[in-house]
């Protein structure tokens, strides 16, 4: 029998590119060659991510962190499976401590740990690396608002962080560029009250202005300037709380009442930065409305549903509200008194300039980067 020859590398790579990420992770334990192709080549990760986006097979998950500490991810697809044990992955972040989630792009999550250190982390493959010191200690400051973005034109990831001192010192806004590998201070707007995680859309980050319910504030990543943008007129909708998100590739605003969340309106800006393009996408009535506490909750508006982290007195209850079927309410309990949530896409991406010595599976010791992490998936 003639001896079989190995397939050419380019054919193997092309075949692997179109496979789902879960299968690729399993293949890393088959041989050192496959392990190297899948986890040690940034171009392969980019090609696989592009192919998955083209096929619309990217798996979106919810990443949740509490100060218990508890760090978990769960599937964001069908509501009935939300929070089911089979859809939940318990994670650990090797540096340890309380992990504050700042935002995510392309599967890379930017985090702050123990109010001191900033990291980039890919929960899917275990890549993580620490960012340079921004020059301000978080343990002496309050993290007012923040956001993460990716600029495809320059292939650059950026993270924006705004802080002020406990004594009420002036707000300072810094932005970090992964490509430039440095922090830069920028000017903030006056008379605005921005909070928590920004929403990324159209190469800009966006926050609601809590000093003016009729406007939001955007940060243009290319020009690096903050500016004001109008919201729809909500004066007579009978609701009082607004939350930003992205739906169908467009900025959206979710409106809910205080107390019992028995209804939800979703507005969409069909043409970016055009006030007249705001339109009401749907009004949802909930047959069994959850009772939501006003000051102890987080909202995350995603493509197919809204996730609410609601404080119960004993921990947080995650509630997923389906945008199409009002009877579908997924629930999941978490311990802790502080919580943060982000949506992320599973990917093989990592930052090549930060590769050496930092790739590691959660809970394992760092290994030679040529070996990569040993990965186990549910």
């Amino acid at each position: 029998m003639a001896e079989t020859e190995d397939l050419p590398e380019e054919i193997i790579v092309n075949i692997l590119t179109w496979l789902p990420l879960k299968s690729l992770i399993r293949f890393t334990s088959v041989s050192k060659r496959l392990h190297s192709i899948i986890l040690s080549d940034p171009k392969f990760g980019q090609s696989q991510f592009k192919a998955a986006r083209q096929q619309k097979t990217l798996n979106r998950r919810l990443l949740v962190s509490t100060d218990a500490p508890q760090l978990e991810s769960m599937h964001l697809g069908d509501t009935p499976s939300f929070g089911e044990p089979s859809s939940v992955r318990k994670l650990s972040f090797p540096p340890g401590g309380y992990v504050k989630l700042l935002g995510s792009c392309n599967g890379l999550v930017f985090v702050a740990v123990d109010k001191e250190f900033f990291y980039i982390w890919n929960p899917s493959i275990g890549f993580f690396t620490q960012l340079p010191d921004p020059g301000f200690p978080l343990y002496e400051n309050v993290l007012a608002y923040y956001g993460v973005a990716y600029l495809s034109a320059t292939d650059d990831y950026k993270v924006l962080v705004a802080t002020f001192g406990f004594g009420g010192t002036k707000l300072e806004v810094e932005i970090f560029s992964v490509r430039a590998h440095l922090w830069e201070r920028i000017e903030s707007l006056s008379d605005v009250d921005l909070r928590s995680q920004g929403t990324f859309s159209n190469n800009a980050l966006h926050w609601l202005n809590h000093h003016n319910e009729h406007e939001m504030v955007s940060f243009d990543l290319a020009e690096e300037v903050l500016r004001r943008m109008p919201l729809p007129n909500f004066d007579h909708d009978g609701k009082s709380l607004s939350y930003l998100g992205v739906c169908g590739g467009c900025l959206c605003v979710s409106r809910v009442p205080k107390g019992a969340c028995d209804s939800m309106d979703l507005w969409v800006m069909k043409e970016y930065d055009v006030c007249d393009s705001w339109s009401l996408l749907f009004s949802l009535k909930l047959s069994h409305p959850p009772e939501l506490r006003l000051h102890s909750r987080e909202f995350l508006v995603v493509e197919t549903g809204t996730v609410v982290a609601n404080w119960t007195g004993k921990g947080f209850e995650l509630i997923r509200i389906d945008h199409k079927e009002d009877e579908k309410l997924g629930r999941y309990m978490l311990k802790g008194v502080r919580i943060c949530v982000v949506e992320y896409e599973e990917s093989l991406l990592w930052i090549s300039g930060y590769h050496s010595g930092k790739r590691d599976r959660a809970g394992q010791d760092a290994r030679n980067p040529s070996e990569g992490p040993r990965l186990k998936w549910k």
Side-chain angles (χ1 to χ4, degrees), residues 134-193:
F136 54 84
L138 283 181
Y139 58 84
E140 295 179 358
N141 289 42
V142 176
L143 192 57
Y145 62 91
Y146 41 88
V148 172
Y150 172 70
L151 292 178
S152 57
T154 55
D155 188 28
D156 192 13
Y157 293 88
K158 294 190 176 185
V159 57
L160 180 146
V161 178
T163 65
F164 60 86
F166 287 108
T169 56
K170 182 182 177 182
L171 184 76
E172 294 184 356
V173 184
E174 304 247 2
I175 186 167
F176 179 77
S177 164
V178 168
R179 177 169 285 276
H181 195 64
L182 58 83
W183 290 91
E184 180 183 4
R185 185 164 297 178
I186 62 173
E187 290 296 320
S188 176
L189 290 175
S190 59
D191 301 323
V192 297
D193 180 10

Side-chain angles (χ1 to χ4, degrees), residues 51-71:
R53 177 165 284 173
Q54 181 180 330
Q55 296 178 100
K56 298 182 178 180
T57 57
L58 280 175
N59 188 22
R60 299 178 184 275
R61 295 184 67 85
L62 180 72
L63 183 61
V64 188
S65 177
T66 76
D67 60 351
Q70 198 167 354
L71 188 60

Side-chain angles (χ1 to χ4, degrees), residues 218-239:
S218 72
F219 178 75
D220 187 301
L221 273 301
E223 298 180 7
E224 295 196 350
V225 293
L226 288 157
R227 59 193 180 92
R228 305 170 194 268
M229 294 176 65
L231 288 172
N233 188 339
F234 302 129
D235 288 344
H236 306 292
D237 67 355
K239 298 174 175 62

Side-chain angles (χ1 to χ4, degrees), residues 361-375:
R361 181 57 176 165
Q364 296 181 350
D365 296 331
R367 296 182 176 85
N368 185 323
S370 65
E371 295 176 357
R374 296 172 188 168
L375 303 176

